[in-house]
Amino acid sequence: MPKKETATPSNQEIVAATTISGVYQAARQLEGVVKKTPLIPSDFFSELSGNQVFLKPENLQHTGAFKLRGAYNKISQLTEEERAKGVITASAGNHAQGVAYAAQKLGVKAVICMPATTPILKVEGTKALSAEVVLHGDGFDDAYAYSLELQKKYGYVYIHPFNDLQVLLGQGTTALEIIDACKDIDAILVPIGGGGFASGVALATKLVNPDIKVIGVEPENAACMKTALANNKILTLDSADTVADGCAVKTAGTLTFEFCKKYLDDIITVSEMEIMGALLALIEKHKLIAEGAGVLSLAALTKLPFKGKKVAAIVSGGNIDISMISALIEKALIARSRVFCFAVPLPDKPGQLLNVSRILAEENANVIELNHNQAKVTDSFKKVVLEVTVETHNEEHVNRIIGALNKNGYEVDRLY
């Protein structure tokens, strides 16, 4: 008699059958491979949010992100036959390095498809781990589609960045470490891209202690999981244009959707300016470097619907180009009114520039850049436009400067 085929379990059946033992097994697999990153108390973010905040710095993990946990757990459980085929994946960067690191450790060939827009730091970091890197497309979805073509063509084993049970179980070990370090934690904030990290963290947390709140955080410009849960079905976003490139995913995972639906308490979305502000605050207050996706949890702290609770905010990754850090810091400074740029028309006669400089000095505004341009005035040969960029303390300081200039007869056009 022919062998009866076993039916493939549905995603709902996989969720129902998954127990905490899978996360503990993953923790054993990862013993001695990943760092058990500490919980860092944050006075700054605690005061800002009205809660007692602890940072979980996965940006200090090997390869600079949490992704190693899931990648290693998955690859370590492949059969010898599967390992011999090699593995392939698609990633905007952190999963790529996680897979490459795990494959190198376990002696498995790794092929990584990355968007052509991936920061060079992540590309070079992946190549340095002996992986074959293929750059393709403008975003994760393009790279993912191409990786499936290569997998079919060459027979590689696919290591999905989020929509895989063993991957998300590995990510869930992060929650075990948080609870072990702070047994009375009240809430955990976790970033969401495709949903693998949130699924693993929510699963592990709720099965250990269902009273702990698990809140996902997404960029407003790439809220694929929030959209899916709101509509009770997976939808593909028109775009996912965000500074949090590690979470720039248009379509949530089918498996992760079911896990998040069952275990996640809520999802908060954050703006691009809130993300950049959180990155700047982390650098200034904790001297820690993170990427855009890495600070989503921090950006959401002021939006929590409660006060006085113990909250763990996961800093998920720190792989960011130096040039990108510079650009993000500049934008964050503008967003927080720490840099003020304005234009003011002046009579083209001696002493006007000196007078504006005197006013700025009296208001303790440090000049960064100054442009004295007559060509920008088209309605008069007797006027000149002065553009000035100054360092400021906050919005109140900016308003004081504008008021002082207005009081001296100058009309101020705020550029940013």
Side-chain angles (χ1 to χ4, degrees), residues 9-26 73 164-170 172 196 199-208 255-256 258-260 262-263:
S10 67
N11 288 323
Q12 292 92 336
E13 289 170 334
I14 292 172
V15 172
T18 303
T19 67
I20 193 63
S21 64
V23 186
Y24 283 122
Q25 182 184 349
N73 187 52
D164 181 282
L165 180 60
Q166 295 305 321
V167 167
L168 69 86
L169 289 174
S199 294
V201 167
L203 163 75
T205 302
K206 292 298 184 179
L207 293 183
V208 171
L255 179 61
T256 59
E258 297 297 339
F259 271 104
C260 287
K262 181 172 182 179
Y263 292 112

Side-chain angles (χ1 to χ4, degrees), residues 127-265:
K127 288 180 178 178
L129 293 167
S130 303
E132 178 185 334
V133 174
V134 179
L135 298 176
H136 183 86
D138 294 327
F140 168 77
D141 297 274
D142 294 335
Y144 175 58
Y146 190 61
S147 70
L148 292 178
E149 292 179 25
L150 295 179
Q151 189 258 343
K152 185 176 179 180
K153 182 176 180 180
Y154 296 106
Y156 301 125
V157 175
Y158 205 89
I159 311 296
H160 199 281
F162 50 83
N163 204 45
D164 181 282
L165 180 60
Q166 295 305 321
V167 167
L168 69 86
L169 289 174
Q171 321 298 29
T173 60
T174 312
L176 297 184
E177 292 175 15
I178 291 172
I179 296 169
D180 185 56
C182 184
K183 293 180 173 53
D184 58 345
I185 199 79
D186 293 303
I188 298 174
L189 295 182
V190 56
I192 298 178
F197 198 17
S199 294
V201 167
L203 163 75
T205 302
K206 292 298 184 179
L207 293 183
V208 171
N209 183 349
D211 293 331
I212 299 173
K213 297 289 184 186
V214 182
I215 300 171
V217 187
E218 287 186 297
E220 287 177 359
N221 293 356
C224 64
M225 188 62 75
K226 189 176 181 70
T227 299
L229 293 176
N231 291 275
N232 200 29
K233 65 178 180 180
I234 295 171
L235 299 171
T236 297
L237 304 177
D238 292 333
S239 66
D241 184 15
T242 173
V243 69
D245 58 277
C247 290
V249 180
K250 295 180 184 178
T251 311
T254 53
L255 179 61
T256 59
F257 169 72
E258 297 297 339
F259 271 104
C260 287
K261 185 177 176 180
K262 181 172 182 179
Y263 292 112
L264 204 60
D265 289 295

Side-chain angles (χ1 to χ4, degrees), residues 313-348:
I314 302 174
V315 181
S316 60
N319 293 313
I320 183 170
D321 284 342
I322 296 299
S323 59
M324 178 64 79
I325 292 175
S326 176
L328 290 181
I329 288 175
E330 183 177 359
K331 289 180 183 293
L333 288 170
I334 292 169
R336 291 171 61 178
S337 298
R338 298 272 298 280
V339 171
F340 168 43
C341 181
F342 65 93
V344 57
L346 303 176
D348 192 10

